[in-house]
Amino acid sequence: MGIEKISKQRQRIEPETRKRTIIEATLKCVTRYGHAGTTMTRVAREASASIGLVSHYFQSKESLMLAAYQELTEQLRRESDQRDAALECSARERLTLMIRSAFKSEIFNRQVLASWVGFWSAAVATPSLARLNRKLYEEYREEMQSLVEAIAIEEGRVIDSKGVARILTALVDGYWLEWALDPEAFKVEEALQDSLHIAERLLRD
């Protein structure tokens, strides 16, 4: 029974591992070749897999790109400490953690930001990516907005939570885009401190 159980566990784990390998290969290809230059053949080569295996998990380039974009967003969420600190920090401190997470080296680096730029450009002409992009950004803004609303309650003030979330999201995106195009434009710490300063001003005004 023990051997059978281990065998079944491997059968469940291995397909998921292979699928993740293909998604990671897709992100590397988007960084290197852009959305248009990312093909199933290139992804298969990057993943050291056959075209047949890639097609088994993802029936089209579109479904593959959607999965890769979803994974890219999950990376940002995994790097955020705010959920772990939710029971120990104030809402203001959690908002600070959320902003800081966007500038962590695991996220704020050339490879990851180049992937984001590739997906942003593709979303303009790909309806399915555009819908996913809208959904992901709505979730991100709503999460930030809920934190600002919590700050207003904790501090007994009135704050335009929707406006603050919109401005801060656009600010971070602007830094991501500019740095992806020119990493010499500013230092990461400068962008982080600017964002925290603007957040403080918005919450105070």
Side-chain angles (χ1 to χ4, degrees):
M1 290 294 292
I3 295 176
E4 290 180 3
K5 184 176 181 180
I6 292 173
S7 177
K8 289 180 180 179
Q9 287 177 337
R10 285 178 176 172
Q11 290 176 2
R12 288 195 297 269
I13 294 172
E14 289 179 359
E16 188 60 34
T17 299
R18 287 194 293 267
K19 188 174 181 180
R20 177 168 291 279
T21 298
I22 293 170
I23 291 175
E24 290 174 351
T26 304
L27 291 173
K28 291 179 181 178
C29 287
V30 171
T31 300
R32 190 175 304 145
Y33 307 112
H35 177 269
T38 297
T39 64
M40 300 285 271
T41 300
R42 280 176 166 167
V43 170
R45 188 182 304 123
E46 182 67 36
S48 298
S50 66
I51 286 290
L53 183 62
V54 174
S55 299
H56 171 72
Y57 290 107
F58 303 98
Q59 287 67 47
S60 65
K61 174 182 174 179
E62 182 175 347
S63 64
L64 178 57
M65 298 300 282
L66 286 171
Y69 192 23
Q70 182 74 57
E71 169 60 22
L72 194 62
T73 304
E74 288 302 320
Q75 288 180 12
L76 176 59
R77 288 176 177 168
R78 286 195 295 269
E79 291 304 325
S80 176
D81 296 325
Q82 60 134 345
R83 289 181 179 81
D84 294 336
L87 299 178
E88 302 174 6
C89 296
S90 67
R92 184 180 284 267
E93 289 170 325
R94 279 182 280 149
L95 178 62
T96 296
L97 287 172
M98 188 174 187
I99 295 172
R100 285 186 177 278
S101 70
F103 294 97
K104 285 185 175 181
S105 59
E106 293 85 353
I107 295 297
F108 203 91
N109 62 66
R110 296 210 69 181
Q111 179 175 330
V112 173
L113 294 186
S115 295
W116 277 101
V117 172
F119 282 110
W120 284 341
S121 63
V124 175
T126 310
S128 58
L129 277 176
R131 287 193 295 272
L132 178 58
N133 183 72
R134 184 180 303 111
K135 175 179 178 293
L136 296 175
Y137 267 81
E138 285 176 352
E139 291 175 352
Y140 186 81
R141 283 192 298 267
E142 287 172 359
E143 184 176 0
M144 185 174 286
Q145 181 178 341
S146 68
L147 285 176
V148 177
E149 289 172 351
I151 292 172
I153 293 173
E154 288 180 1
E155 300 181 2
R157 299 189 296 111
V158 176
I159 304 175
D160 178 9
S161 57
K162 186 174 183 179
V164 170
R166 182 181 63 249
I167 292 170
L168 291 179
T169 301
L171 177 65
V172 171
D173 274 355
Y175 275 126
W176 279 23
L177 178 58
E178 186 175 356
W179 199 84
L181 297 175
D182 180 13
E184 302 300 321
F186 54 83
K187 295 179 180 179
V188 179
E189 184 61 25
E190 291 175 333
L192 170 59
Q193 293 305 320
D194 287 348
S195 299
L196 293 174
H197 175 70
I198 293 299
E200 183 63 30
R201 288 290 302 273
L202 290 171
L203 293 175
R204 187 168 64 243
D205 292 344

